[in-house]
Amino acid sequence: MALTTGSDGGRSGPKLAGGRLSRCDSGLDEEAERQEQPWGLGPDLECGAGEERCESACDSAYSSGPLDSFSSRCSLGSSSKAPAQETTFNPWAYLSKEGDTFLHLCIIHQVEALALAFIGQCSLEYLNWQNDLFQTPLHLAMYTRQTNIVRHLVVKGSDAELQDRNGNTPLHLACLYSLEESARALTQPVTAKERRLLGCGDSGTAGPRNLERQNWQGLTCLQVAVLSRNDGMVEHLLSSGARVNTQQEATSGRTALHLAVELGELGLVSRLLRAGGDPDAPMYNGCTPLHLAAGRLDPGIASALCQAGADPLLPNLEEDTPMDLADSNWNILDLCPFDDVRLRGQPVAV
């Protein structure tokens, strides 16, 4: 990487005023290596053998030493034929042709120590800077599976709801690539101890606040996790407050429960039903999850939906009920186990 100095070498960082830059490829829009590390400052994790080791490590990581040392090594000296003059490289003012700040590049090249030093000293404007693919440092830390950096960015107050060019938040990326450890680092509440160790004030609620935010495909994080067939991620999102019935994906109006039925994932269907998934939620064409199960001749999922209260006689926009979609040779009782039918007040055993 060539080291360059801007004409305003004394500026404190990229300016957000005056419009956006043109968008071009920064080279991190594909799936990266699948390796995660536990973050070092989580509420339930210790940074070392004790409090003293933790504070010592934090002081070391966030001292000005790494930046001072880097700056001294990057001074641009003059040649022997030119008048004596020296210009010092200013990493805070650097911006690549792809719109990456120096912090973006530290994360891309996985230089963790220098990235942590920058995170400890820069402003929120710098932390939330989006490159030409609208990726923040938090997006890039997700792509490169650097969970420790993810956690430090969250503690410092990075905006976890900014969206990249595909509309994905960092949490969407965690669900898409099954980054469960990074998702926990992103969503776990920040403790007073973490703020104290990083020298942060009370900057409000950290991490994503709107778990129902949709990407440009109209998918929420929960729907992305269901499509990835990730039971653990679905469980984590539900326990973190994600709601099952609040959003329908944009193309056909499917809920997370519809998606689980289409995938034939009985375990996910049962978990979503326990979380309050509506078995009679209609798609844009009026089809409920039970319509989908009947059309796919899936008696296990159909039975689970009926037991949760799904109506087998509810018509879609074409006036077809789930019973109408069942194959004529299929035992209809597998689809609709009428175990609550009563004759003269007495239950009828089938």
Side-chain angles (χ1 to χ4, degrees):
M1 176 188 69
L3 299 180
T4 60
T5 306
S7 59
D8 57 343
R11 63 192 177 109
S12 60
K15 302 300 183 182
L16 294 180
R20 301 297 305 172
L21 299 174
S22 62
R23 304 291 164 188
C24 51
D25 193 1
S26 71
L28 266 181
D29 201 32
E30 298 179 359
E31 183 175 352
E33 299 176 2
R34 305 237 173 200
Q35 182 177 0
E36 290 194 72
Q37 306 172 13
W39 70 85
L41 289 174
D44 300 323
L45 300 178
E46 295 297 329
C47 297
E51 182 74 22
E52 294 181 0
R53 289 183 61 188
C54 188
E55 294 182 357
S56 174
C58 181
D59 293 341
S60 174
Y62 287 93
S63 67
S64 60
L67 293 183
D68 294 340
S69 174
F70 174 82
S71 180
S72 66
R73 294 197 305 271
C74 291
S75 59
L76 304 179
S78 60
S79 67
S80 58
K81 297 181 180 181
Q85 185 179 4
E86 185 176 283
T87 303
T88 301
F89 174 71
N90 183 2
W92 302 105
Y94 177 82
L95 194 67
S96 76
K97 64 180 180 180
E98 292 87 11
D100 293 312
T101 66
F102 204 80
L103 177 57
H104 282 87
L105 296 180
C106 289
I107 295 173
I108 289 170
H109 295 289
Q110 303 188 41
V111 188
E112 183 176 295
L114 194 55
L116 293 179
F118 267 80
I119 293 169
Q121 299 188 34
C122 62
S123 65
L124 279 179
E125 180 185 32
Y126 192 90
L127 287 179
N128 292 329
W129 178 261
Q130 292 174 282
N131 64 15
D132 290 353
L133 295 179
F134 293 92
Q135 297 163 331
T136 65
L138 194 51
H139 284 95
L140 297 180
M142 280 291 182
Y143 270 121
T144 54
R145 277 71 176 175
Q146 297 182 79
T147 309
N148 193 33
I149 291 179
V150 169
R151 188 58 182 174
H152 282 73
L153 286 167
V154 169
V155 175
K156 285 289 291 186
S158 293
D159 190 343
E161 296 188 23
L162 292 176
Q163 295 168 280
D164 64 17
R165 69 170 182 173
N166 296 314
N168 289 322
T169 66
L171 188 56
H172 278 94
L173 297 180
C175 297
L176 181 62
Y177 298 121
S178 299
L179 306 176
E180 296 181 37
E181 190 69 24
S182 293
R184 285 191 289 271
L186 190 65
T187 56
Q188 192 165 352
V190 175
T191 66
K193 176 182 176 181
E194 288 179 304
R195 295 190 187 280
R196 185 177 67 253
L197 290 175
L198 269 66
C200 305
D202 187 6
S203 58
T205 304
R209 298 173 296 280
N210 180 11
L211 296 179
E212 278 70 51
R213 184 178 293 276
Q214 294 174 303
N215 63 15
W216 303 154
Q217 292 179 300
L219 297 173
T220 65
C221 292
L222 181 61
Q223 290 164 346
V224 172
V226 169
L227 288 173
S228 299
R229 291 184 166 91
N230 192 324
D231 298 68
M233 187 68 74
V234 169
E235 181 67 35
H236 174 73
L237 290 171
L238 292 174
S239 63
S240 298
R243 289 173 288 181
V244 182
N245 302 312
T246 55
Q247 291 285 0
Q248 295 174 290
E249 56 86 26
T251 58
S252 57
R254 294 169 296 180
T255 65
L257 185 57
H258 284 95
L259 296 174
V261 172
E262 285 187 337
L263 294 172
E265 293 286 341
L266 178 57
L268 286 176
V269 169
S270 299
R271 181 64 187 92
L272 293 172
L273 288 172
R274 291 197 302 272
D278 183 1
D280 287 333
M283 296 167 55
Y284 297 150
N285 62 3
C287 286
T288 66
L290 188 56
H291 280 91
L292 302 182
R296 286 163 175 73
L297 303 181
D298 193 326
I301 290 180
S303 177
L305 291 169
C306 287
Q307 295 295 336
D311 186 353
L313 301 178
L314 193 65
N316 59 19
L317 294 183
E318 297 180 354
E319 299 300 324
D320 291 323
T321 69
M323 280 189 171
D324 295 330
L325 298 178
D327 187 91
S328 59
N329 295 322
W330 193 27
N331 186 351
I332 198 65
L333 294 178
D334 288 337
L335 170 63
C336 304
F338 293 107
D339 55 357
D340 59 347
V341 176
R342 293 174 178 270
L343 181 61
R344 296 182 178 179
Q346 299 298 319
V348 177
V350 181

